Amino acid sequence: MKSCLTAVLLASFFIHAASPAQEFTVPYSIKATERTENLPPYVAPPSTNLYNGNPNFKVGWGIDSPTGFVSIDGEVWVIFNLGNQYGTHVKVARFRGRDFEHTERQPDGAIDIAEKGISTHFCGGMWYDTSTGTLYAPIHCEYERNISPPAGWTRKKTRLASSTDKGLTWKLEGDILTDSMPDSGDWLRFSGSYFEAGPADFDFYVDTRGGYSYIFACNAYAPKSGGMNNFLWFNEVARCALSDKMAPGKWHKFCNGTWTEPGLGGKASKVCMSSYSIYGRIIYSDSLRKYLRLGVCLGVIDKRFTNLGFGDGSVVVSFCDDLSKQNWSPMVKVLDNPGNDRFGFTVADATARDPFVCGKTLHAYNYWLYNLPSRAIDITLEPGATPAAGYPKYGSFAYEPLPESGDSIVSRRTRIAGCDEPETVYSGLWKVKRDTNYFQGQAMECGVPGSSVEYSFDGSGIYWRAVADTNGGKADISIDGKFAETVDLYFRDALPNQFAFIKTGLDPARRHTFKATIRSDRNPGSYGTVVRHMAFEVASESDRASAGFSGEMGKNHWRYQQLVGKEYRDLHFFEFVDVDVKDSQTGVMKKQQVFANFWGDGNGCTLGNRYQSLRAVRTWRAPHDGLVRIEGNAAIENDGGSGLTASIVHDSRVEWSSTLKPGVVSGHHDIVLRVSQGSEIRFIASGETNDSGARIRWDPVVTYSTNQH
């Protein structure tokens, strides 16, 4: 049955960057009409996964990646995988015709891959170099797939393949985009609880007017252990001069306004279409003189992997004047379709022959897996006004920094203070709201107008973590008694990871005060005035043990040792360990590999991101002279371990010590010391116990004071 939907929405294209995304408008009306009939099998696979009953034709795995096409000698060629993406001899389907919707199947092509365990996905489009008759295709690759689980995701990178016979045979040219630490095993060298999954799942775009090809990759901060958080997906972009033929080593990533970071091992910053990004495709409209990026919000939930993300899968678009500057507008909705679960897109001009340039009309083919029916969305843009989709201002970030990132907010240096921080002052009736997705599992909430939360701090910047939700209210923010802005905490989904307010550039030599006061008015969509304060992050030279933990000795100023007599010896890092387990059916003991991610001696002494066993020593080495504050709580992790002692030793002097009791957080410390460059502060677990598995739960924080007097 043919379905049809038309949407025309209304609002100004340019506003000051500091204004909320909700106030943004574009000067176009958007008319979108759906079609579901007579679409080709590479965007609308039959439910049997067969094409004309042919058992040798499988459309990917129900199209779990976008389909690309290219124009060669006046004909459209569609090329994509035949379902064996993880093999070493990878077959590709080839279709040729007058346009994207009208093609005939050609003999299958293939590419041979030397390595096992790495995927080969033709998913992001192609470029045909008419001067040499060479077809180039970037390749999405997944590798080290054995780490997921326990990791939330596999590792990813982008390769390049070429063909001189229109896709019948392919040659692998090599890697063109990787994460900043791409080698085998490097995922546990990343700092803290996350690793960079890598740039892939991309959109490929050729900008002949500018002379570059672009890859807009989907990257993510994936947990080393645990489920994926879709809020932590993001876009990054790299480009290569067309004269360089997309060659390995010729790509450069966009990082904080420049294109100087290498594609191989370089860093990149987030590219946002408001505070989030888009999973979709780019096309240039020569009538609008703008680039369009069309798809779904990158953080939308994919229920195969997680329930943490945006629930709205509406089709959105963002506009850009200059790809060299990446000045993307906030998203506006093409189709207000929250329940959409089709995440794959192919775009084309009005004739369905050009994937890179259109006029005021275009086609967007929208599909995913077997989430049928697939559809074509025929889009026309006319003068008018369309409001932004209303995504929050700043975006979502993990509760710890990722120093390896090139993004200034992701790699921020801050000290995080939870909602129960003693320096936090509440006015009004606030109560605890518990949620496993919150920092430390809790927030303080209040919906009474006039109530406030206040926090005084030393530092050059403040980042406020306040949860947005369906009953979120508004709050007036002041810094040092001066009004800064009004924050709207309403959103149609719960957003636990967002920054609601950021203020940087403050005088680091003076003390500042942040205050948020609940307003009586609210967003028209909200059913409440609730403010949920979760945490503050203060710009500081601060090192939290868990956030700096990695498989690299000395990284982030932390070393991992054990005390043997009076000697401190370095421990060894373990990625996985073998344990003996009994087979539930046969009763026979067998070896099973389990995730470790700890430092140890192989004989019972272990030290992880937030714990350490008897004799384990976590050592912080001062990068320069200064006054440091050392905060933390030490507690015995299980019921055993009576007699364990937690101690802080500065060089050879004991500065603090506490004998711990089971079930009690008995080791609180908050001390200030003056350190010299190279001096060491050791956090030592010692004592007498008969429990060989006794561990101390301890996540100390060392912060340099901005006031050195």
Side-chain angles (χ1 to χ4, degrees):
M1 178 178 178
K2 189 173 183 178
S3 63
C4 196
L5 172 65
T6 301
V8 179
L9 307 172
L10 287 180
S12 62
F13 187 66
F14 300 103
I15 67 168
H16 192 273
S19 299
Q22 289 89 335
E23 298 178 11
F24 190 93
T25 59
V26 296
Y28 314 116
S29 66
I30 303 172
K31 181 180 179 181
T33 305
E34 293 183 63
R35 292 183 284 121
T36 59
E37 291 183 337
N38 303 319
L39 296 178
Y42 34 81
V43 293
S47 59
T48 60
N49 202 24
L50 302 179
Y51 176 58
N52 290 340
N54 184 349
N56 296 317
F57 182 82
K58 293 182 67 178
V59 186
W61 282 335
I63 321 181
D64 79 334
S65 61
T67 301
F69 75 98
V70 66
S71 178
I72 302 177
D73 300 331
E75 296 178 306
V76 165
W77 285 79
V78 183
I79 296 175
F80 56 92
N81 292 82
L82 279 176
N84 63 332
Q85 293 93 319
Y86 295 94
T88 55
H89 181 72
V90 181
K91 294 182 179 181
V92 293
R94 300 161 69 241
F95 284 73
R96 181 182 67 178
R98 70 175 189 268
D99 60 50
F100 182 73
E101 295 190 31
H102 301 90
T103 61
E104 294 183 356
R105 193 175 181 194
Q106 306 298 305
D108 294 341
I111 182 172
D112 290 315
I113 306 297
E115 311 100 313
K116 293 183 178 180
I118 186 168
S119 74
T120 303
H121 288 80
F122 287 78
C123 72
M126 294 159 282
W127 174 56
Y128 185 69
D129 181 7
T130 56
S131 65
T132 62
T134 304
L135 180 61
Y136 294 97
I139 303 295
H140 163 94
C141 298
E142 299 171 5
Y143 67 107
E144 287 196 275
R145 296 171 57 234
N146 62 310
I147 70 172
S148 179
W153 208 255
T154 182
R155 305 195 70 188
K156 306 185 300 173
K157 61 182 176 180
T158 302
R159 289 175 154 181
L160 179 69
S162 65
S163 173
T164 56
D165 52 15
K166 299 180 181 178
L168 190 62
T169 59
W170 290 88
K171 174 187 176 184
L172 183 64
E173 301 287 348
D175 296 349
I176 55 177
L177 297 179
T178 68
D179 65 45
S180 58
M181 293 191 294
D183 292 339
S184 177
D186 276 353
W187 66 293
L188 292 178
R189 290 180 56 223
F190 282 92
S191 306
S193 305
Y194 299 86
F195 68 98
E196 180 191 347
D201 288 301
F202 53 78
D203 167 29
F204 173 68
Y205 182 75
V206 175
D207 185 31
T208 54
R209 64 188 47 76
Y212 287 93
S213 56
Y214 290 83
I215 289 178
F216 287 77
C218 295
N219 207 334
Y221 304 121
K224 295 176 180 178
S225 180
M228 194 61 201
N229 181 341
N230 270 25
F231 290 127
L232 303 184
W233 284 91
F234 61 95
N235 278 153
E236 63 180 59
V237 60
R239 73 180 187 182
C240 177
L242 292 177
S243 58
D244 286 327
K245 313 293 184 182
M246 297 175 60
K250 297 296 184 178
W251 289 83
H252 290 86
K253 296 179 180 180
F254 184 76
C255 187
N256 297 313
T258 70
W259 297 92
T260 55
E261 285 287 312
L264 300 174
K267 296 182 177 183
S269 55
K270 287 186 176 183
V271 175
C272 294
M273 295 83 201
S274 67
S275 52
Y276 291 88
S277 302
I278 289 176
Y279 182 66
R281 298 283 193 172
I282 290 176
I283 194 166
Y284 179 78
S285 170
D286 54 14
S287 62
L288 302 181
R289 296 185 181 179
K290 292 189 183 296
Y291 300 90
L292 285 64
R293 184 158 178 80
L294 185 143
V296 295
C297 180
L298 185 54
V300 70
I301 293 172
D302 186 335
K303 292 187 181 299
R304 296 176 299 166
F305 308 112
T306 180
N307 287 318
L308 193 60
F310 290 109
D312 190 341
S314 293
V315 180
V316 294
V317 65
S318 178
F319 301 87
C320 176
D321 298 309
D322 187 345
L323 288 184
S324 68
K325 297 179 181 178
Q326 295 296 310
N327 56 341
W328 292 96
S329 77
M331 309 173 205
V332 299
K333 287 191 176 183
V334 174
L335 285 180
D336 189 5
N337 183 197
N340 178 43
D341 59 359
R342 287 155 285 189
F343 306 147
F345 287 86
T346 303
V347 296
D349 70 339
T351 68
R353 296 172 60 83
D354 192 336
F356 300 133
V357 180
C358 68
K360 67 178 182 180
T361 61
L362 67 148
H363 304 295
Y365 302 92
N366 182 208
Y367 46 86
W368 198 243
L369 297 171
Y370 292 104
N371 301 346
L372 300 174
S374 298
R375 61 186 174 183
I377 308 172
D378 304 322
I379 301 168
T380 302
L381 294 97
E382 301 280 5
T386 305
Y391 287 91
K393 182 176 178 181
Y394 292 109
S396 290
F397 300 85
Y399 299 140
E400 57 189 49
L402 189 67
E404 294 83 4
S405 172
D407 188 272
S408 58
I409 299 182
V410 176
S411 61
R412 66 198 180 277
R413 292 291 300 276
T414 61
R415 171 188 174 270
I416 187 168
C419 62
D420 58 356
E421 179 83 2
E423 286 97 336
T424 305
V425 178
Y426 295 96
S427 171
L429 300 175
W430 294 78
K431 63 180 181 180
V432 176
K433 168 72 173 180
R434 303 201 184 276
D435 190 305
T436 55
N437 295 316
Y438 293 173
F439 177 68
Q440 296 179 336
Q442 62 182 359
M444 293 292 287
E445 68 175 16
C446 179
V448 180
S451 301
S452 64
V453 55
E454 187 173 323
Y455 186 73
S456 296
F457 62 96
D458 297 313
S460 61
I462 182 98
Y463 302 72
W464 185 35
R465 288 192 177 274
V467 181
D469 212 331
T470 54
N471 65 346
K474 293 183 178 181
D476 287 334
I477 309 300
S478 67
I479 301 291
D480 299 334
K482 296 181 180 179
F483 174 78
E485 68 176 69
T486 297
V487 171
D488 187 349
L489 293 173
Y490 163 75
F491 195 70
R492 54 188 171 270
D493 295 312
L495 302 182
N497 294 96
Q498 76 156 357
F499 282 127
F501 174 84
I502 297 176
K503 178 66 175 178
T504 58
L506 299 171
D507 183 355
R510 59 168 293 192
R511 192 161 182 80
H512 303 282
T513 299
F514 168 100
K515 186 175 183 179
T517 304
I518 301 174
R519 293 171 60 101
S520 58
D521 60 330
R522 62 190 181 192
N523 188 294
S526 179
Y527 67 86
T529 57
V530 177
V531 170
R532 293 182 178 89
H533 164 62
M534 188 165 58
F536 293 110
E537 293 193 33
V538 176
S540 309
E541 189 177 355
S542 185
D543 294 323
R544 179 180 289 271
S546 59
F549 183 83
S550 82
E552 180 179 336
M553 182 70 77
K555 188 171 187 175
N556 303 315
H557 315 128
W558 294 101
R559 301 186 67 83
Y560 310 98
Q561 302 174 307
Q562 66 173 324
L563 181 60
V564 181
K566 295 183 179 181
E567 181 183 359
Y568 296 103
R569 297 180 183 175
D570 287 349
L571 296 170
H572 302 284
F573 186 70
F574 293 82
E575 295 183 16
F576 294 87
V577 294
D578 290 331
V579 298
D580 293 320
V581 296
K582 181 182 290 186
D583 188 285
S584 59
Q585 295 181 340
T586 66
V588 176
M589 298 297 292
K590 61 180 181 180
K591 295 289 185 181
Q592 179 176 306
Q593 194 175 67
V594 298
F595 184 56
N597 191 34
F598 61 65
W599 293 83
D601 65 351
N603 194 32
C605 180
T606 59
L607 193 158
N609 60 346
R610 291 179 174 87
Y611 70 85
Q612 53 196 93
S613 69
L614 187 66
R615 303 189 313 278
V617 180
R618 194 188 306 269
T619 301
W620 180 84
R621 182 172 291 174
H624 58 81
D625 297 357
L627 203 64
V628 296
R629 180 182 181 183
I630 306 169
E631 306 166 84
N633 293 290
I636 293 175
E637 191 172 65
N638 48 34
D639 291 335
S642 58
L644 281 178
T645 297
S647 303
I648 298 176
V649 176
H650 177 203
D651 291 332
S652 59
R653 176 175 173 170
V654 177
E655 301 287 354
W656 173 88
S657 184
S658 178
T659 299
L660 308 179
K661 299 178 181 179
V664 179
V665 181
S666 52
H668 173 74
H669 57 85
D670 190 348
I671 60 178
V672 176
L673 299 174
R674 186 167 294 279
V675 297
S676 302
Q677 181 180 4
S679 63
E680 295 181 324
I681 296 175
R682 293 185 170 90
F683 302 86
I684 303 173
S686 61
E688 300 290 337
T689 178
N690 295 322
D691 184 356
S692 59
R695 302 195 310 194
I696 294 176
R697 193 79 173 169
W698 200 2
D699 188 16
V701 184
V702 182
T703 306
Y704 275 97
S705 173
T706 56
N707 184 350
Q708 294 294 307
H709 301 288

